[in-house]
Amino acid sequence: MSRLLSLAEAVESVVHDGDSVALEGFTHLIPHAAGHEIIRQGRKRLTLIRMTPDLIYDQMIGMGCAEKAVFSWGGNPGVGSLHRFRDAVENGWPHPLKIEEHSHAAMANAYEAGAAGLPLAVLRGYIGAGLPAVNPNIKSIVCPFTGEKLAAVPSIRPDVGVIHAQKADRAGNVLIEGIVGVQKEVVLASKRSIVTVEEVVEEFGPRSPNATILPAWTVGALAVVPGGAYPSYTFGYYKRDNAFYKTWDTIAKDRDSFVAWMKANVLDVGPEVFAAQARKMLQAAE
Amino acid sequence: MSRLLSLAEAVESVVHDGDSVALEGFTHLIPHAAGHEIIRQGRKRLTLIRMTPDLIYDQMIGMGCAEKAVFSWGGNPGVGSLHRFRDAVENGWPHPLKIEEHSHAAMANAYEAGAAGLPLAVLRGYIGAGLPAVNPNIKSIVCPFTGEKLAAVPSIRPDVGVIHAQKADRAGNVLIEGIVGVQKEVVLASKRSIVTVEEVVEEFGPRSPNATILPAWTVGALAVVPGGAYPSYTFGYYKRDNAFYKTWDTIAKDRDSFVAWMKANVLDVGPEVFAAQARKMLQAAE
Amino acid sequence: MADYKPNEMMTVAAARALRNEDVCFVGIGMPSAAANLARLTHAPDIVLIYESGTLGTKPTVLPLSIGDPELCETALTTVSVPEMFRYWLQGGRITVGFLGGAQIDKHANLNTTVVGPYDKPKVRLPGGGGAPEIATSCGEIFIIMAQGKRAFVPKLDFVTSLGHGEGGDHRARLGVKTKGPTRLMTDLAVFEPEPGSNEMIVTSLHPGVTREQIVENTGWPVRFAATVAETPPPTKIELEALRDLQARTARAHGAAA
Amino acid sequence: MADYKPNEMMTVAAARALRNEDVCFVGIGMPSAAANLARLTHAPDIVLIYESGTLGTKPTVLPLSIGDPELCETALTTVSVPEMFRYWLQGGRITVGFLGGAQIDKHANLNTTVVGPYDKPKVRLPGGGGAPEIATSCGEIFIIMAQGKRAFVPKLDFVTSLGHGEGGDHRARLGVKTKGPTRLMTDLAVFEPEPGSNEMIVTSLHPGVTREQIVENTGWPVRFAATVAETPPPTKIELEALRDLQARTARAHGAAA
């Protein structure tokens, strides 16, 4: 049953040093506020799992939270490199980062298999590609009916899954709309979970009979963080701050400017700053 | 791209003698009108695939359309036996029926795998159960990561998939709501398809961003048949005729009363009778 | 205490076994009546899931089929059938699954497939449906079946779903981590697995039922626990809730004719 | 005919290759510009799919990321990412996939993973994302890449996604049934696979481009088709549609700052 906590309490009680942690959200609903809180609480040696490491993992890696990254595409979408991620891989700064690299198809299937309680995902994948030679977690099975060789990857079953969503109701059920990504899968696949939401409502009210809802009993800690996905976005609430994604390229390029930005915008503030940032994007959208 | 046809034209052009045909709908949205049309057109030697054979296959089997049934639960839900199905299996009337029997989990996974273009589905299933000993299409694979033995079944990829849905828009996209069952999967898994709908609207208008929609280019023939799911139901349109399901038990128990009912209610009429039957259930619901 | 029928005692006994915090995979018929009775009495927060995909459903009348409109209309949300079997059942999210059958043996294996040989059945039953995986994926299994020698047999004609297999640690030896059948509710008694052997033994007799009646209605040499309780009879509240539910259901299903 | 830049010629050439009946898996950047240009000009019914799950999307501005709000708001519907990769990509429902990369070889294999050794990269690139399966699951592949010796290399540092492998029937020998790269659009020319060898050869030069320029900007001994066409320059309609789209996009992304 989901417990309504402050974000600080949620991270404190759910995320431990050394955990495998998946903060998911495919461009949409990226749990930036939760990522910042993990940084503020100084978590170390995390295995960070995420299809698109993105700004959120650039920040966590640059601040030294990560020992390993499991991912399928590590860039700043539409902009370019993740400079902190590259600095860790290429130069070992702030310390070396192990990587386990997959394709999107494999990771999406692996989350699906994790949610389904299976030990592996099977896909027609990686044919003629270089990754199987460098990632021992890409194996194969042979179809007993057709003889076809298919790729197999371990299902993803993180210690902790973290997502952001539109809203929860008083009972603690969570509603997700728009680009739903692997949001539902990562919560169902994880041993523990944190869900941040824009708001808590009395009841969801009229909705599609097939709305994407995580029932309260599948959710761990629940925290209300308005704007918690900024500079990503929350469908129905505020837009993506595409300009910030471009600005990040400059901030992150240099170690000093990165550290200064993190101090001013993460270490010295709290999750309450997200509401104002999202408000700005709401106005921009109107 | 979906083609708008009469139901008779759709069945005429899409369903051939000897085809494997899956008429799906998990209690909800069962394509009864399409089943009746297949009977009227006298299709023979079909392999009928369906999780819950139900009244619709009781009728098709009793009328001699089927050579084989692939299924996971063959009963009249909440009522009892399928007498025509039993008569075919137990006594070979009107002729013998081959069966391939699975569990629900296996068939649901097999449709999913069919939609996903895979040759097999993998599940943790059939442990300690008797079916693997009598169904050679239940095999296993070994997880290369954990060593766990998991069940494997061939994916379902029928020649023809047939479903009923709420509505299509002018472009031929199809919207499905409520208990969505394996409706989407069976169309995506099939080589050809027929979708009957309650109505065609200009545009779907406001809807969930994640509405279950089959794009026009994934749909074969489209036919408008108001009430086409009766005595099953269409969420948002009319209720299930639970009383008829009970009545069917009496009709189907006896070969003569079955044949008489089929002549009067299927052979001698057309799909236009469904609208009035559904209207009755609409009134009952109000 | 009102007058009641054996069937009502069976349903009430099954309802009582459910806890407010359970997530229950419900089958049609008696399991559905028992699960909804629990929800309407002592377990208002119980989560009911039907294999049609309806999560957290709260029907006001009992469904005739596994996918009646009421189930979807009153659900928190409804997922596809593949998702239901993958994420929810196989995912290990169900605490209790309800099963029944045409035949049961002393280790609570069930047959709903055939009477007679599989290839040339005397009676072709509906088949397993969800049962083979419900039996192994749910945290534990409750079984509801009216007792009688044709149903409570020494050897099943077909094993549709695994109970305790050949007894003892057979489930564990098959790699199954869930408990299997922990409780069998009949119209005469409650059975539970004997620690060690996992043979289903009588642990509670319904009021007025004798050991002789149990023996006469069980096809194997039935055994009794060292201490056999008497099942508390249905309370007024339980009976009224059950009868109201069944009356509403009869009206709803009949009205459609 | 208006003045235009080589990048514009490249985008227009890519747009022209798309047909009105195509179902196109679109990547971010130039593929997105080309696919939307096609939709806004000669292929109004083309179905655009982005890997974020948006089916049949019709954005009025180009997305910066693969999952910008515009994509979902204008889509027919949006599915989960596992479903996108299972039912839509692997399901074989996409006729054309667009790819690009940091490096390409003469058989149109692509590298977007690393420059230098994998374990100790000189440059760590973003990685494959959807590319490894896009490359084999789509009916055919169009590639857009600006030409230059650092990108058009004799040997890839890493094979992120399969093109024609070692050439010839290598794809078929790997069990792949799709066509692979059928067209490579650069800022200088159009390449197509030579029948038989499946080596990418120049089949059309953009207006004003010389064979010498191609040779200077290709890291392998580039070959030309027996008959090399001249790419028709962008029409006024094409250029206006492309520039309008890019101006709207710049305003939309800038305005958010």
Side-chain angles (χ1 to χ4, degrees):
Chain A
M1 187 56 63
S2 57
R3 298 163 296 149
L4 192 60
L5 301 172
S6 73
L7 179 58
E9 292 166 334
V11 168
E12 174 71 34
S13 62
V14 173
V15 186
H16 315 309
D17 285 355
D19 276 350
S20 62
V21 183
L23 288 84
E24 273 296 352
F26 201 81
T27 309
H28 180 216
L29 292 174
I30 301 175
H32 275 275
H36 284 189
E37 187 61 36
I38 293 171
I39 292 170
R40 268 193 298 274
Q41 295 196 15
R43 288 293 176 281
K44 298 291 173 206
R45 303 189 315 281
L46 302 177
T47 291
L48 291 178
I49 306 167
R50 184 171 157 75
M51 293 179 68
T52 54
D54 213 292
L55 273 54
I56 190 171
Y57 278 13
D58 212 30
Q59 296 174 352
M60 295 175 77
I61 290 165
M63 295 300 282
C65 300
E67 179 175 272
K68 181 179 176 184
V70 180
F71 72 103
S72 43
W73 194 84
N76 181 346
V79 179
S81 287
L82 291 178
H83 298 291
R84 297 299 97 225
F85 173 65
R86 281 186 55 181
D87 205 7
V89 173
E90 296 170 12
N91 311 309
W93 191 93
H95 50 68
L97 182 72
K98 285 182 267 187
I99 62 170
E100 176 178 336
E101 188 171 0
H102 290 278
S103 67
H104 276 354
M107 284 196 77
N109 273 281
Y111 276 121
E112 201 273 350
L118 289 175
L120 85 165
V122 172
L123 67 153
R124 186 178 292 110
Y126 291 121
I127 303 171
L131 279 179
V134 296
N135 179 349
N137 262 345
I138 302 170
K139 300 191 174 180
S140 64
I141 65 139
V142 173
C143 172
F145 304 101
T146 62
E148 182 178 356
K149 186 178 150 191
L150 293 158
V153 292
S155 63
I156 299 177
R157 294 189 276 194
D159 294 322
V160 182
V162 182
I163 66 165
H164 186 73
Q166 271 88 356
K167 52 190 160 191
D169 66 12
R170 283 279 164 220
N173 304 299
V174 171
L175 179 75
I176 309 169
E177 279 189 326
I179 292 177
V180 292
V182 293
Q183 307 290 93
K184 181 165 153 176
E185 284 75 12
V186 70
V187 170
L188 296 181
S190 297
K191 294 188 192 75
R192 304 186 296 280
S193 63
I194 297 175
V195 178
T196 58
V197 291
E198 292 291 330
E199 60 176 333
V200 172
V201 297
E202 270 308 305
E203 290 194 341
F204 292 139
R207 60 188 183 275
S208 159
N210 308 113
T212 305
I213 293 179
L214 283 165
W217 48 277
T218 63
V219 174
L222 194 63
V224 182
V225 187
Y230 175 89
S232 162
Y233 70 104
T234 299
F235 183 86
Y237 286 78
Y238 48 91
K239 294 257 178 191
R240 190 172 191 267
D241 190 352
N242 280 330
F244 182 80
Y245 277 84
K246 294 179 181 174
T247 305
W248 181 253
D249 191 64
T250 315
I251 296 168
K253 204 166 250 164
D254 177 82
R255 289 177 189 171
D256 292 341
S257 70
F258 166 74
V259 169
W261 191 92
M262 292 303 292
K263 181 169 189 323
N265 294 281
V266 179
L267 298 182
D268 291 353
V269 299
E272 66 284 352
V273 300
F274 280 85
Q277 287 160 324
R279 227 170 7 250
K280 194 177 64 180
M281 295 317 297
L282 178 62
Q283 287 155 356
E286 277 165 358
Chain B
M1 187 57 63
S2 56
R3 299 164 295 148
L4 193 59
L5 301 173
S6 74
L7 179 58
E9 290 167 335
V11 168
E12 174 70 33
S13 62
V14 173
V15 185
H16 314 310
D17 285 355
D19 277 350
S20 61
V21 183
L23 288 85
E24 272 296 351
F26 201 81
T27 308
H28 181 215
L29 292 174
I30 301 175
H32 276 276
H36 285 189
E37 187 60 37
I38 293 171
I39 292 170
R40 269 193 298 274
Q41 295 197 14
R43 289 292 176 283
K44 297 291 174 207
R45 303 188 316 279
L46 302 177
T47 290
L48 290 178
I49 305 167
R50 183 170 159 76
M51 293 179 67
T52 54
D54 213 288
L55 272 57
I56 190 171
Y57 278 14
D58 212 31
Q59 296 175 352
M60 294 176 77
I61 291 166
M63 295 301 282
C65 300
E67 177 176 273
K68 181 179 176 182
V70 181
F71 73 103
S72 43
W73 194 85
N76 181 345
V79 180
S81 287
L82 292 178
H83 298 290
R84 298 298 97 225
F85 173 66
R86 280 185 57 181
D87 205 7
V89 173
E90 297 171 12
N91 310 309
W93 190 93
H95 50 69
L97 182 73
K98 284 183 267 187
I99 62 169
E100 176 178 334
E101 187 170 2
H102 289 278
S103 68
H104 276 353
M107 282 196 78
N109 273 283
Y111 276 121
E112 202 273 349
L118 289 176
L120 84 166
V122 172
L123 67 153
R124 185 177 293 111
Y126 290 121
I127 304 171
L131 278 179
V134 294
N135 179 349
N137 261 345
I138 301 171
K139 299 190 174 181
S140 64
I141 64 139
V142 173
C143 173
F145 304 102
T146 62
E148 182 178 356
K149 186 178 152 191
L150 293 157
V153 292
S155 64
I156 299 177
R157 294 190 275 194
D159 294 322
V160 182
V162 182
I163 66 165
H164 186 72
Q166 271 88 356
K167 52 190 159 189
D169 65 12
R170 282 281 163 221
N173 302 300
V174 172
L175 179 74
I176 310 169
E177 279 189 325
I179 291 177
V180 292
V182 293
Q183 307 291 94
K184 181 164 152 177
E185 285 74 14
V186 71
V187 170
L188 295 181
S190 296
K191 295 188 190 75
R192 304 186 296 282
S193 62
I194 298 175
V195 178
T196 58
V197 292
E198 292 292 331
E199 59 176 332
V200 172
V201 296
E202 269 309 307
E203 290 194 339
F204 292 140
R207 60 188 183 276
S208 160
N210 309 112
T212 305
I213 293 179
L214 283 165
W217 48 278
T218 63
V219 174
L222 195 62
V224 182
V225 187
Y230 175 89
S232 162
Y233 70 104
T234 299
F235 183 86
Y237 286 78
Y238 49 90
K239 294 257 179 191
R240 189 171 192 268
D241 191 352
N242 280 331
F244 181 79
Y245 279 81
K246 293 180 180 173
T247 306
W248 181 253
D249 192 63
T250 314
I251 296 167
K253 204 166 251 165
D254 176 82
R255 289 176 188 171
D256 292 340
S257 69
F258 166 75
V259 169
W261 191 93
M262 292 302 292
K263 181 168 189 323
N265 295 280
V266 178
L267 300 182
D268 291 352
V269 299
E272 66 285 351
V273 300
F274 280 84
Q277 286 160 326
R279 227 169 7 250
K280 194 179 66 180
M281 296 316 297
L282 179 62
Q283 287 155 356
E286 276 165 359
Chain C
M1 183 191 63
D3 244 6
Y4 60 87
K5 299 191 186 122
N7 259 341
E8 291 174 327
M9 179 73 257
M10 171 162 61
T11 305
V12 165
R16 286 176 186 160
L18 290 166
R19 294 138 299 209
N20 194 42
E21 58 275 18
D22 273 326
V23 176
C24 180
F25 208 80
V26 188
I28 283 304
M30 285 185 293
S32 185
N36 280 287
L37 177 59
R39 185 174 62 78
L40 294 169
T41 55
H42 69 281
D45 300 323
I46 190 171
V47 176
L48 303 188
I49 294 183
Y50 289 73
E51 65 193 9
S52 57
T54 56
L55 290 176
T57 183
K58 301 179 176 186
T60 52
V61 303
L62 296 175
L64 182 68
S65 82
I66 208 81
D68 275 22
E70 287 76 20
L71 296 177
C72 179
E73 285 160 5
T74 63
L76 177 61
T77 192
T78 297
V79 301
S80 76
V81 164
E83 177 178 326
M84 173 52 66
F85 281 97
R86 285 178 72 79
Y87 290 5
W88 300 90
L89 181 62
Q90 183 176 265
R93 267 166 264 284
I94 316 287
T95 62
V96 178
F98 261 110
L99 291 175
Q103 292 181 337
I104 186 169
D105 67 17
K106 70 176 178 179
H107 292 119
N109 305 294
L110 291 166
N111 173 20
T112 59
T113 303
V114 283
V115 177
Y118 184 80
D119 290 333
K120 188 62 195 160
K122 196 152 60 179
V123 184
R124 174 64 230 199
L125 300 164
E133 286 75 24
I134 292 171
T136 55
S137 296
C138 297
E140 62 188 309
I141 296 293
F142 294 167
I143 299 171
I144 312 187
M145 279 175 72
Q147 233 175 306
K149 278 206 165 156
R150 288 179 57 190
F152 283 57
V153 298
K155 189 169 167 40
L156 301 180
D157 287 347
F158 191 91
V159 180
T160 305
S161 64
L162 180 69
H164 295 287
E166 296 161 7
D169 64 348
H170 195 186
R171 285 177 71 87
R173 279 187 283 122
L174 291 171
V176 181
K177 298 194 169 73
T178 53
K179 288 183 191 164
T182 53
R183 202 171 274 262
L184 160 63
M185 275 75 56
T186 79
D187 48 347
L188 301 179
V190 175
F191 291 67
E192 293 177 74
E194 180 185 50
S197 74
N198 278 324
E199 176 180 332
M200 301 305 283
I201 59 173
V202 176
T203 55
S204 185
L205 290 170
H206 297 340
V209 174
T210 63
R211 292 189 176 215
E212 289 65 36
Q213 276 178 279
I214 299 290
V215 170
E216 281 163 23
N217 285 286
T218 308
W220 65 80
V222 63
R223 292 167 49 221
F224 295 81
T227 314
V228 174
E230 179 177 292
T231 315
T235 66
K236 190 155 173 292
I237 290 173
E238 288 168 334
L239 267 190
E240 280 182 8
L242 177 59
R243 289 173 182 176
D244 282 356
L245 180 62
Q246 289 173 328
R248 279 199 301 279
T249 300
R251 272 197 304 278
H253 295 178
Chain D
M1 183 192 61
D3 245 7
Y4 60 86
K5 298 190 186 123
N7 259 341
E8 290 174 327
M9 180 72 257
M10 171 162 60
T11 305
V12 166
R16 286 175 187 160
L18 291 166
R19 293 139 301 209
N20 194 42
E21 58 274 20
D22 272 327
V23 177
C24 180
F25 207 81
V26 189
I28 282 306
M30 284 185 294
S32 184
N36 280 288
L37 177 59
R39 185 175 61 80
L40 294 169
T41 55
H42 68 284
D45 299 324
I46 190 170
V47 176
L48 304 188
I49 294 184
Y50 289 74
E51 65 193 7
S52 57
T54 55
L55 290 176
T57 182
K58 302 180 175 186
T60 53
V61 303
L62 296 175
L64 182 68
S65 81
I66 208 83
D68 275 23
E70 287 76 21
L71 296 177
C72 179
E73 285 160 6
T74 63
L76 177 62
T77 192
T78 297
V79 302
S80 77
V81 165
E83 178 178 326
M84 173 51 65
F85 282 96
R86 286 178 71 80
Y87 290 5
W88 301 90
L89 181 62
Q90 184 177 264
R93 267 166 262 284
I94 317 287
T95 62
V96 178
F98 260 111
L99 290 175
Q103 293 180 337
I104 187 169
D105 67 18
K106 71 176 177 179
H107 292 118
N109 304 294
L110 292 167
N111 173 21
T112 57
T113 304
V114 283
V115 178
Y118 185 80
D119 289 333
K120 189 62 194 162
K122 196 151 61 181
V123 183
R124 174 64 232 198
L125 299 164
E133 287 76 23
I134 291 171
T136 54
S137 296
C138 297
E140 61 188 308
I141 296 293
F142 294 168
I143 299 172
I144 312 187
M145 278 176 71
Q147 233 175 306
K149 278 207 164 154
R150 287 178 58 190
F152 283 55
V153 299
K155 187 167 167 41
L156 301 181
D157 287 346
F158 190 91
V159 180
T160 304
S161 63
L162 179 69
H164 295 288
E166 297 160 7
D169 64 349
H170 195 186
R171 285 177 71 87
R173 279 187 282 121
L174 291 171
V176 180
K177 299 193 169 73
T178 53
K179 289 183 191 164
T182 53
R183 201 171 275 262
L184 160 62
M185 275 75 56
T186 80
D187 47 347
L188 302 179
V190 176
F191 291 66
E192 293 176 74
E194 179 185 51
S197 74
N198 276 326
E199 175 180 332
M200 300 305 283
I201 59 174
V202 177
T203 55
S204 184
L205 289 171
H206 297 340
V209 174
T210 63
R211 291 190 177 216
E212 290 65 36
Q213 274 178 280
I214 299 289
V215 170
E216 280 164 24
N217 286 287
T218 309
W220 66 79
V222 63
R223 291 167 51 222
F224 295 81
T227 313
V228 174
E230 178 177 293
T231 315
T235 65
K236 190 156 174 290
I237 289 173
E238 287 168 333
L239 266 190
E240 279 182 9
L242 176 59
R243 288 173 183 177
D244 281 357
L245 179 62
Q246 287 173 330
R248 279 200 302 278
T249 300
R251 272 198 305 278
H253 295 178

